[in-house]
């Protein structure tokens, strides 16, 4: 026999619809991808919806959108809507991940090696 309360908690489409208010995007356009880092500016505030509170608690140190999605057990699309709300309200900050160091051109490296060999 099915437990209706349990079904509601299992990420059913209805629950996800309620969490996002039926929206597919935040209130402001955001450019979030899986590796965008999110950090909370403070702790959760009274009256926040539970998923917003959970994000605020998780993001006391920077986490990627993918990590937030995994920790909450919610699809990335739902998490990006929630993050859009938090960004619009200025409760969280987002930043791209630290870019990997750019390597110099291979021809430059070969020229340096060649020069060193001639010393």
């Amino acid at each position: 026999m099915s437990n209706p309360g349990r079904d509601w908690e299992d990420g059913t489409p209805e629950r996800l619809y309620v969490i996002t208010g039926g929206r597919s995007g935040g209130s402001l356009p955001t450019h979030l991808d899986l590796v965008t880092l999110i950090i909370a500016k403070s702790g959760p505030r009274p009256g926040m919806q539970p998923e917003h509170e959970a994000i605020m608690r998780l993001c006391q140190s920077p986490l990627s959108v993918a990590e937030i999605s995994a920790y909450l057990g919610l699809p990335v699309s739902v998490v990006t809507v929630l993050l859009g709300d938090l960004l619009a309200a200025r409760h969280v900050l987002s930043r791209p991940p630290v870019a990997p160091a750019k390597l110099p051109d291979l021809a430059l490296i070969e020229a340096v090696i060649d020069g060193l060999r001639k010393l």
Side-chain angles (χ1 to χ4, degrees):
M1 186 158 119
S2 167
N3 180 347
R6 173 120 169 78
D7 292 341
W8 176 253
E9 295 299 322
D10 282 345
T12 61
E14 294 86 4
R15 177 174 177 259
L16 299 177
Y17 182 87
V18 169
I19 289 171
T20 62
R23 297 170 296 135
S24 61
S27 52
L28 293 176
T30 57
H31 301 287
L32 300 174
D33 58 23
L34 293 175
V35 294
T36 300
L37 296 175
I38 305 293
I39 187 160
K41 292 172 74 174
S42 64
R45 307 238 171 137
M48 283 185 155
Q49 93 182 53
E51 293 79 14
H52 286 142
E53 287 181 5
I55 291 170
M56 297 291 289
R57 279 192 297 277
L58 281 172
C59 294
Q60 292 303 304
S61 58
L63 284 178
S64 71
V65 172
E67 290 172 309
I68 297 166
S69 174
Y71 285 131
L72 294 179
L74 292 171
V76 172
S77 59
V78 171
V79 170
T80 57
V81 170
L82 296 172
L83 289 173
D85 295 342
L86 292 172
L87 285 163
R90 299 179 189 259
H91 293 307
V92 298
L93 300 171
S94 70
R95 68 174 173 87
V98 176
K102 299 209 180 214
L103 296 175
D105 182 37
L106 185 57
L108 175 62
I109 293 172
E110 289 172 350
V112 169
I113 291 172
D114 187 45
L116 289 172
R117 285 186 182 145
K118 291 179 181 179
L119 289 177

